[in-house]
Amino acid sequence: MSTARTNDDTWDIATSVGSTAVMVAAARAVETDSEQPLIRDPYAKLLVADAGTGVWEALLDQSLVAKLETLDPDIAAVYHNMRNYQAVRTRFFDAHFADAVQAGVRQVVILASGLDSRAYRLDWPAGTTLYEIDQPKVLEYKAATLGNHGVTPTAERRTVAIDLRQDWPAALRAAGFDAGAPTAWLAEGLLMYLPADAQDRLFEQITELSAPGSRIAAETAANHADERRQQMSERFKKISEQLGLSQGVDVQDLIYHDENRASVRDWLDGHGWHADAVNASDEMRRLNRWVDVPMGDDKDAFAEFVTAVKG
């Protein structure tokens, strides 16, 4: 179970679950500036720069990364693997949307969208409507930050400011969502922050809203061994103190570690979808982005990327 969550907790971009979106955007920014980037996100750095989380903005500073490698090579390897993971994950789900629009889907829903910039950086076909669902303050921060820099969406972007534990299907419909049209869904960086029963309910709701031909992509919740997770948390805390960084909340404290969580692929296959899955570590190796890390021998410690089409 999570140790820092409640059933009615809320957040902005600098606190709790909201701050993890800054971590992901920082990884996209660093990848974009690398010599051979897997993905390009010209807006990630803008979204990170003034977020106010402290430690995640520091990931943009390469001098700090060099110090990290000197202080703790294992933690440095985890950092580089995490950064590569985010690039591989982004690339995979970008391809999901490319396949969906190629198949004629023109309605998109990004669940818990955070600082996702796909509404702004992907080349959407004319007539595409993209819905972003997240906490109000998170959506407000992104819109204000990009708006202040003159950045505009490349699709018709509609925001749905609501917690996914509330009646988000009703709010989505009120924003113009058409349950009779095929939809491309994305649940990226989300499921680990939901307890198992909430995950099941989320997919039930998605299924109810999905016309035949709809597509979904999801990142599953990885299953880290408790002892290894605690060891890594303690080492990250020590390194943060040595670097003079405010660590803020420990991400592991935000995650629900439910042993009885359903397999996303199996759940979808049993509810009218045709699903496939790839382990993230295999995809990282395929793209030559794997870095050896302490938990690298444990496939369960890495998420699966699941895609499915509704029959």
Side-chain angles (χ1 to χ4, degrees):
M1 294 295 292
S2 167
T3 59
R5 303 291 308 283
T6 62
N7 290 333
D8 59 353
D9 55 340
T10 187
W11 49 83
D12 58 20
I13 201 61
T15 60
S16 187
V17 177
S19 67
T20 66
V22 182
M23 172 188 69
V24 175
R28 295 200 309 268
V30 173
E31 178 67 22
T32 298
D33 289 343
S34 65
E35 291 185 1
Q36 294 181 311
L38 279 180
I39 57 100
R40 294 183 185 277
D41 185 345
Y43 311 121
K45 190 175 293 186
L46 296 177
L47 291 166
V48 172
D50 298 319
T53 64
V55 64
W56 302 129
E57 289 96 315
L59 295 181
L60 301 178
D61 183 348
Q62 289 302 310
S63 68
L64 281 176
V65 175
K67 292 178 183 177
L68 177 61
E69 292 171 342
T70 300
L71 290 169
D72 192 328
D74 283 345
I75 293 296
V78 171
Y79 162 71
H80 287 295
N81 208 54
M82 179 274 291
R83 189 188 76 183
N84 287 352
Y85 172 83
Q86 297 297 343
V88 169
R89 182 181 82 168
T90 300
R91 183 181 187 275
F92 186 92
F93 293 130
D94 282 358
H96 158 69
F97 284 129
D99 291 344
V101 298
Q102 181 67 29
V105 177
R106 296 293 182 269
Q107 184 168 249
V108 174
V109 179
I110 301 179
L111 301 157
S113 57
L115 297 183
D116 186 299
S117 63
R118 291 183 175 95
Y120 299 86
R121 65 177 178 81
L122 294 186
D123 186 15
W124 298 101
T128 301
T129 302
L130 188 152
Y131 298 89
E132 291 191 12
I133 305 177
D134 212 322
Q135 297 253 357
K137 291 181 180 179
V138 174
L139 293 172
E140 289 167 7
Y141 170 81
K142 178 163 60 179
T145 300
L146 295 182
N148 289 340
H149 288 87
V151 181
T152 57
T154 55
E156 182 180 346
R157 176 177 176 264
R158 300 182 185 178
T159 59
V160 183
I162 191 170
D163 191 299
L164 287 170
R165 293 165 294 187
Q166 299 170 356
D167 190 2
W168 65 267
L172 182 62
R173 288 177 183 271
F177 177 84
D178 180 5
T183 304
W185 302 87
L186 178 61
E188 177 186 34
L190 165 60
L191 300 184
M192 66 283 291
Y193 302 116
L194 297 177
D197 57 346
Q199 174 179 302
D200 290 346
R201 179 56 183 154
L202 179 73
F203 284 115
E204 290 170 1
Q205 292 167 315
I206 291 171
T207 300
E208 291 169 2
L209 292 168
S210 295
S214 292
R215 295 168 177 243
I216 188 169
E219 173 194 19
T220 68
N223 183 22
H224 298 276
D226 288 342
E227 181 179 358
R228 182 169 287 170
R229 183 170 61 244
Q230 181 62 31
Q231 290 173 349
M232 295 305 291
S233 292
E234 291 173 356
R235 289 172 74 171
F236 270 113
K237 181 179 180 180
K238 180 180 178 180
I239 290 297
S240 295
E241 292 173 350
Q242 288 177 300
L243 292 175
L245 299 174
S246 172
Q247 186 184 15
V249 68
D250 186 335
V251 173
Q252 291 298 325
D253 289 339
L254 303 175
I255 294 173
Y256 287 90
H257 304 283
D258 283 353
E259 295 181 0
N260 297 321
R261 190 183 296 273
S263 159
V264 174
R265 179 180 184 176
D266 291 347
W267 192 100
L268 290 169
D269 274 337
H271 291 81
W273 300 80
H274 305 287
D276 291 300
V278 58
N279 189 275
S281 63
D282 290 337
E283 185 70 357
M284 292 175 73
R285 288 183 170 94
R286 186 181 74 82
L287 294 171
N288 297 316
R289 286 307 188 94
W290 177 256
V291 176
D292 285 329
V293 290
M295 64 283 198
D297 59 344
D298 182 6
K299 275 203 169 185
D300 287 342
F302 294 87
E304 286 188 331
F305 301 149
V306 180
T307 56
V309 180
K310 190 176 184 187

